[in-house]
Amino acid sequence: TSKRDGLDAFYWLVESERLAPGADLKNRIYDQMSDITSLLSEKQVMALLPEYRGRFPEVWLQTRLVEILIDNGELDKATEKLNYLSTTYSIHPLSGKFKELEDAINRQQNVDTTAIGCLLPLTGPFQPYGRRLLRGLYMAQELYNLSTWEEPIKIIVKDSSSEEGITKAVDELVNDHHVMAIIGPLSRKVVDEAAEEAQKLRVPLITLTQKRDIVDIGDYVFRVFLTNKDQAKLLVAYAVAELELHSFGILYPEDNYGRFFRKVFSEELGKLPVKLMAEVGYDPGTTDFTQPIRNLFVKAGIPLPTRSSKEKPISVLSPPAFDAIFLPDQVQTASLIASQLVYNDVIGVR
């Protein structure tokens, strides 16, 4: 829901509350008002407050203003306004929200600006990825600490695959370790739960997921992971604009990963004044790429000659048929293919 939609809904709820016949319906309206006011900006709240002074939605608007002050780091002003609301409206439907905001202020006042939380899979099937990322984070931590005279940062790690659950891990990082932000998690299975808890506790969560709509959960949720499509688009742009390559072949594994990258890469090439000469797949797990390499050149209309073992290997393609060959596979496989390109006399191709 957009800010504009939120303002329209606000006016409709005010009118609905005025006409509501019973307490049950009014309570439902109060719950919805909490959701709607959370969408309002500071400018909108300040414009609405004079209009509704002493009327139904004022307390919701004042509560939203406290949230905004907390988000802006104006904790003294937030505390003063919250104390007034808690005292004046102690039996109000929003009294539970007042306690949540008080806890949020206390957390921000006690935050450790040198502590960064981390949620990574340290057990289970995704453990290898979690361990690699953790090594990278420790390397970044060391480089940062060596480059500054300020107090060194520390990384506090929780297992996102723990049986205790991701919500408990987020709570412990925030309430026990007072981290200033959290990096992770990776898994789509737990990222929503982690994001919702981080938003509730008002701690920045920098997710490492390809799930684009995760940031819709709230202003404290961020995403810094490139999707596969983003990677392909950036690679094409770099190859054409920076490396000035103009003709391409694609040699890809016949699995979901390889087919997806082949499709996106070829689509992006199609938007530019360059040539896609040929596309050829190979069986995942194969180690002999002689035939797929030959098929690639045959499909491009440039057959590779066969030679006997007694003949010296020479470059038969000068200039090469392609400026570059795209290999959407693991680095070990790409290395195998690169060496076999040379063996098959394909010289000078990126």
Side-chain angles (χ1 to χ4, degrees):
T1 305
S2 69
K3 302 287 185 184
R4 178 68 246 177
D5 293 337
L7 193 57
D8 290 341
F10 174 85
Y11 287 124
W12 279 108
L13 281 177
V14 171
E15 186 64 15
S16 298
E17 195 274 343
R18 185 180 70 84
L19 300 172
D24 289 344
L25 183 54
K26 284 184 182 292
N27 287 332
R28 288 169 56 193
I29 291 171
Y30 295 158
D31 290 339
Q32 291 182 40
M33 182 58 78
S34 295
D35 296 334
I36 293 303
T37 50
S38 69
L39 299 172
L40 299 179
S41 67
E42 182 175 6
K43 184 177 179 180
Q44 289 172 327
V45 171
M46 297 306 292
L48 290 168
L49 270 171
E51 182 179 352
Y52 293 99
R53 191 76 64 186
R55 296 169 57 191
F56 149 60
E58 182 192 3
V59 182
W60 278 264
L61 292 171
Q62 293 283 12
T63 304
R64 173 57 181 155
L65 188 56
V66 173
E67 289 184 311
I68 292 169
L69 290 170
I70 294 173
D71 293 343
N72 292 343
E74 300 178 71
L75 301 184
D76 290 340
K77 288 183 180 180
T79 300
E80 181 182 353
K81 187 169 287 293
L82 185 59
N83 286 340
Y84 166 77
L85 290 173
S86 300
T87 303
T88 309
Y89 302 100
S90 58
I91 57 172
H92 193 274
L94 284 177
S95 57
K97 181 71 172 181
F98 299 157
K99 181 62 171 67
E100 287 181 15
L101 293 176
E102 182 183 352
D103 292 342
I105 291 172
N106 291 334
R107 280 193 296 269
Q108 290 211 14
Q109 288 174 331
N110 295 322
V111 71
D112 183 352
T113 56
T114 67
I116 298 175
C118 188
L119 293 168
L120 292 175
L122 304 180
T123 56
F126 297 106
Q127 178 185 12
Y129 304 104
R131 293 291 180 185
R132 288 181 205 168
L133 275 166
L134 188 57
R135 286 198 295 271
L137 287 169
Y138 281 144
M139 183 182 297
Q141 175 195 25
E142 183 177 359
L143 289 173
Y144 177 83
N145 288 341
L146 289 173
S147 69
T148 181
W149 291 100
E150 297 177 2
E151 189 174 353
I153 61 170
K154 50 184 174 285
I155 295 176
I156 299 161
V157 186
K158 293 288 182 181
D159 184 4
S160 61
S161 300
S162 170
E163 292 182 358
E164 293 183 342
I166 196 72
T167 298
K168 190 174 190 305
V170 173
D171 286 342
E172 289 178 352
L173 287 172
V174 175
N175 294 313
D176 297 344
H177 300 283
H178 311 292
V179 298
M180 64 178 297
I182 299 173
I183 299 172
L186 285 173
S187 171
R188 282 175 172 262
K189 293 181 179 179
V190 298
V191 70
D192 286 321
E193 191 177 344
E196 288 169 2
E197 189 66 13
Q199 182 65 30
K200 174 185 169 184
L201 298 177
R202 312 184 89 79
V203 60
L205 181 77
I206 305 168
T207 65
L208 305 172
T209 177
Q210 294 191 25
K211 191 173 182 181
R212 285 184 174 274
D213 61 355
I214 191 66
V215 297
D216 294 340
I217 287 176
D219 295 339
Y220 282 85
V221 181
F222 303 87
R223 183 179 68 86
V224 295
F225 197 91
L226 284 173
T227 66
N228 288 340
K229 189 169 185 178
D230 290 333
Q231 292 181 60
K233 290 175 68 174
L234 286 170
L235 185 57
V236 169
Y238 178 75
V240 176
E242 300 294 329
L243 300 182
E244 298 183 347
L245 305 175
H246 298 96
S247 60
F248 297 84
I250 302 178
L251 201 56
Y252 64 96
E254 286 282 8
D255 55 21
N256 291 336
Y257 183 87
R259 283 190 288 265
F260 175 84
F261 267 109
R262 178 209 62 77
K263 179 177 181 292
V264 177
F265 194 84
S266 61
E267 286 175 352
E268 292 302 315
L269 289 178
K271 299 175 184 177
L272 300 170
V274 297
K275 292 182 179 179
L276 175 56
M277 306 289 289
E279 309 169 52
V280 167
Y282 55 83
D283 291 334
T286 188
T287 56
D288 184 358
F289 298 94
T290 298
Q291 196 56 52
I293 289 171
R294 291 189 172 274
N295 291 343
L296 185 69
F297 284 86
V298 169
K299 195 168 182 179
I302 313 168
L304 289 175
T306 56
R307 55 183 170 80
S308 68
S309 59
K310 295 180 180 180
E311 293 176 330
K312 294 180 180 179
I314 58 172
S315 174
V316 297
L317 299 169
S318 184
F322 310 107
D323 290 335
I325 297 176
F326 177 48
L327 308 172
D329 207 331
Q330 300 181 65
V331 64
Q332 296 91 337
T333 306
S335 299
L336 274 175
I337 294 174
S339 64
Q340 291 185 34
L341 284 169
V342 175
Y343 178 79
N344 283 278
D345 298 326
V346 180
I347 310 297
V349 179
R350 283 181 182 263

